[in-house]
Amino acid sequence: MSPDEVLNHEEIELNLKRLPGWRYTDDALQVTITCRKAQQAIDLFVHIAQLAQDANHHPDVDWRYNSLKISLTSHDVGGKLTQRDIALAQQISQAAESFECVLS
Protein backbone atom coordinates (compact mmCIF):
# COMPACT_ATOMS: atom_id res chain seq x y z
CA MET A 1 0.00 0.00 0.00
CA SER A 2 1.27 3.44 -0.96
CA PRO A 3 1.65 5.92 1.94
CA ASP A 4 -0.66 8.27 -0.02
CA GLU A 5 -3.39 5.68 -0.65
CA VAL A 6 -6.67 6.54 1.07
CA LEU A 7 -7.65 4.00 3.73
CA ASN A 8 -11.09 2.43 3.65
CA HIS A 9 -13.25 1.99 6.77
CA GLU A 10 -12.02 -1.56 7.40
CA GLU A 11 -8.36 -0.51 7.18
CA ILE A 12 -9.00 2.41 9.53
CA GLU A 13 -10.65 0.12 12.11
CA LEU A 14 -7.80 -2.40 11.86
CA ASN A 15 -5.19 0.31 12.41
CA LEU A 16 -7.11 1.80 15.36
CA LYS A 17 -6.66 -1.50 17.19
CA ARG A 18 -2.91 -0.79 17.11
CA LEU A 19 -3.31 2.82 18.27
CA PRO A 20 -4.60 2.82 21.87
CA GLY A 21 -6.23 6.12 22.79
CA TRP A 22 -6.78 7.20 19.18
CA ARG A 23 -10.25 7.40 17.65
CA TYR A 24 -11.72 8.10 14.24
CA THR A 25 -14.08 11.06 14.61
CA ASP A 26 -15.24 13.75 12.20
CA ASP A 27 -13.29 12.07 9.37
CA ALA A 28 -10.00 12.47 11.26
CA LEU A 29 -7.71 10.43 13.47
CA GLN A 30 -7.82 12.13 16.88
CA VAL A 31 -6.29 11.84 20.33
CA THR A 32 -5.96 13.90 23.50
CA ILE A 33 -2.62 13.67 25.28
CA THR A 34 -2.44 14.76 28.91
CA CYS A 35 0.85 15.48 30.65
CA ARG A 36 1.52 16.15 34.33
CA LYS A 37 2.75 19.69 33.74
CA ALA A 38 2.43 22.39 31.11
CA GLN A 39 6.17 22.30 30.37
CA GLN A 40 5.94 18.60 29.53
CA ALA A 41 3.13 19.34 27.07
CA ILE A 42 5.16 22.15 25.50
CA ASP A 43 8.23 19.93 25.14
CA LEU A 44 6.09 17.17 23.61
CA PHE A 45 4.50 19.69 21.25
CA VAL A 46 7.95 20.75 20.03
CA HIS A 47 8.91 17.09 19.54
CA ILE A 48 5.69 16.39 17.60
CA ALA A 49 6.35 19.44 15.44
CA GLN A 50 9.77 18.03 14.53
CA LEU A 51 8.27 14.62 13.73
CA ALA A 52 5.74 16.35 11.47
CA GLN A 53 8.45 18.38 9.73
CA ASP A 54 10.52 15.26 9.16
CA ALA A 55 7.50 13.46 7.69
CA ASN A 56 6.32 16.54 5.75
CA HIS A 57 2.91 15.76 7.21
CA HIS A 58 1.40 18.26 9.62
CA PRO A 59 -1.34 17.53 12.17
CA ASP A 60 -3.69 20.06 13.70
CA VAL A 61 -2.64 20.55 17.33
CA ASP A 62 -4.55 22.40 20.04
CA TRP A 63 -2.45 23.05 23.15
CA ARG A 64 -4.30 23.69 26.43
CA TYR A 65 -2.05 24.03 29.50
CA ASN A 66 -0.99 20.41 30.10
CA SER A 67 -2.82 18.74 27.22
CA LEU A 68 -2.60 18.48 23.45
CA LYS A 69 -5.52 17.64 21.19
CA ILE A 70 -4.25 16.24 17.92
CA SER A 71 -6.12 15.65 14.69
CA LEU A 72 -4.63 13.93 11.64
CA THR A 73 -5.89 13.84 8.06
CA SER A 74 -4.17 14.01 4.70
CA HIS A 75 -5.21 17.37 3.30
CA ASP A 76 -3.70 16.63 -0.11
CA VAL A 77 -6.18 13.78 -0.68
CA GLY A 78 -9.27 15.69 0.38
CA GLY A 79 -8.98 15.32 4.14
CA LYS A 80 -9.09 11.52 4.08
CA LEU A 81 -6.90 9.14 6.09
CA THR A 82 -3.82 7.56 4.57
CA GLN A 83 -1.00 5.36 5.82
CA ARG A 84 0.96 8.60 6.47
CA ASP A 85 -1.57 9.49 9.16
CA ILE A 86 -1.22 6.06 10.77
CA ALA A 87 2.58 6.27 10.71
CA LEU A 88 2.63 9.74 12.29
CA ALA A 89 0.05 8.68 14.90
CA GLN A 90 2.33 5.78 15.88
CA GLN A 91 5.29 8.16 16.22
CA ILE A 92 3.22 10.60 18.29
CA SER A 93 2.09 7.76 20.58
CA GLN A 94 5.68 6.66 21.12
CA ALA A 95 6.74 10.24 21.83
CA ALA A 96 3.91 10.73 24.34
CA GLU A 97 4.96 7.55 26.12
CA SER A 98 8.58 8.69 26.28
CA PHE A 99 7.43 12.03 27.78
CA GLU A 100 5.35 10.04 30.32
CA CYS A 101 2.08 11.53 29.07
CA VAL A 102 -1.27 9.72 28.76
CA LEU A 103 -3.31 9.25 25.58
CA SER A 104 -7.10 9.28 25.74
Side-chain angles (χ1 to χ4, degrees):
M1 172 182 290
S2 162
D4 298 327
E5 189 175 326
V6 174
L7 301 176
N8 63 37
H9 183 73
E10 185 178 298
E11 292 166 327
I12 292 168
E13 290 300 319
L14 181 64
N15 279 289
L16 279 172
K17 291 178 182 177
R18 292 179 267 181
L19 290 169
W22 290 84
R23 62 199 169 283
Y24 182 65
T25 308
D26 300 326
D27 295 325
L29 199 54
Q30 299 180 356
V31 71
T32 298
I33 302 172
T34 305
C35 303
R36 287 190 305 267
K37 297 181 180 185
Q39 187 61 55
Q40 253 180 317
I42 293 166
D43 293 342
L44 178 57
F45 190 179
V46 170
H47 187 78
I48 291 169
Q50 188 59 58
L51 291 172
Q53 275 300 103
D54 293 346
N56 193 28
H57 189 53
H58 303 90
D60 295 329
V61 180
D62 179 11
W63 167 52
R64 304 286 171 109
Y65 182 64
N66 69 331
S67 68
L68 303 172
K69 293 182 182 183
I70 299 171
S71 181
L72 284 165
T73 60
S74 292
H75 302 288
D76 58 339
V77 292
K80 304 290 183 185
L81 284 189
T82 66
Q83 194 58 44
R84 286 179 293 152
D85 299 299
I86 301 302
L88 188 53
Q90 289 170 329
Q91 290 180 319
I92 290 170
S93 292
Q94 290 169 350
E97 185 178 313
S98 72
F99 278 79
E100 298 178 347
C101 300
V102 178
L103 285 79
S104 60

